[in-house]
Amino acid sequence: MKGEHHAITLRFLAQPTDVNFGGKVHGGAAMKWIDQAGYACATGWSGSYCVTIYVGGIRFFKPILIGNVVEVRASVIHTGKTSMHIAVDVFAADPKTLEFVQCTHCIIIFVAVDEHNSPIPVPKWTPTTAEQIDLEQYAIRLIELRKAIDTEMQSYRL
Ligand SMILES: CC(C)(COP(=O)(O)OP(=O)(O)OC[C@H]1O[C@@H](n2cnc3c(N)ncnc32)[C@H](O)[C@@H]1OP(=O)(O)O)[C@@H](O)C(=O)NCCC(=O)NCCS
């Protein structure tokens, strides 16, 4: 039901087809997983079809190896009227130990849309735990930072 599930975790193996030229997982593969987990999380929360409107800086902390167990954790951390700010973290572990290490972090924003691609309202996210409140404040600080980035990028929009 919409507004009920605010988080989702995808778990799978990094496959040989995900390889980059250095023999590790391709950054593009990780970006695809982030978008997929974010989409599933936003769609589950809103109960509507959603589109990606913004992907914040993606930070790759550590490489992911082919054959690692990959965990992509996505959660709603802030909602506007039609948008959902989703924190997505990618963890990886050797399947022999299952000791997960954070490899990637980003914030991705989705908008719920109707059949005409017009934005529609989403259920409001109300954080309750200290960690959730902290993450919402983080999302709000990023909105302010993004305004300056958007202004700077506007001159390069063709
Ligand atoms: C998503 C889309 C329908 C939104 O329409 P729009 O007229 O541009 O957006 P609006 O001005 O109505 O804003 C909709 C929401 O997006 C948010 N938004 C707009 N620009 C944003 C930006 N640069 N960063 C973050 N959020 C933004 C608005 O704040 C608003 O959220 P709110 O209602 O919670 O306040 C339209 O931009 C679109 O179709 N984009 C392409 C989506 C797509 O194809 N994604 C896949 C990429 S491969």
Side-chain angles (χ1 to χ4, degrees), residues 119-135:
I120 53 174
V122 298
K124 182 172 165 42
W125 164 245
T126 306
T128 50
T129 68
E131 186 186 6
Q132 290 169 352
I133 291 167
D134 184 49
L135 280 168

Side-chain angles (χ1 to χ4, degrees), residues 74-118:
S75 59
V76 177
I77 61 168
H78 175 66
T79 51
K81 183 165 169 260
T82 65
S83 65
M84 292 153 283
H85 298 227
I86 314 284
V88 185
D89 293 282
V90 182
F91 292 78
D94 183 322
K96 293 192 285 298
T97 63
L98 286 184
E99 286 169 9
F100 283 92
V101 171
Q102 185 188 25
C103 298
T104 300
H105 167 78
C106 87
I107 301 297
I108 179 164
I109 303 174
F110 287 83
V111 172
V113 293
D114 64 15
E115 62 275 23
H116 306 295
N117 201 47
S118 299

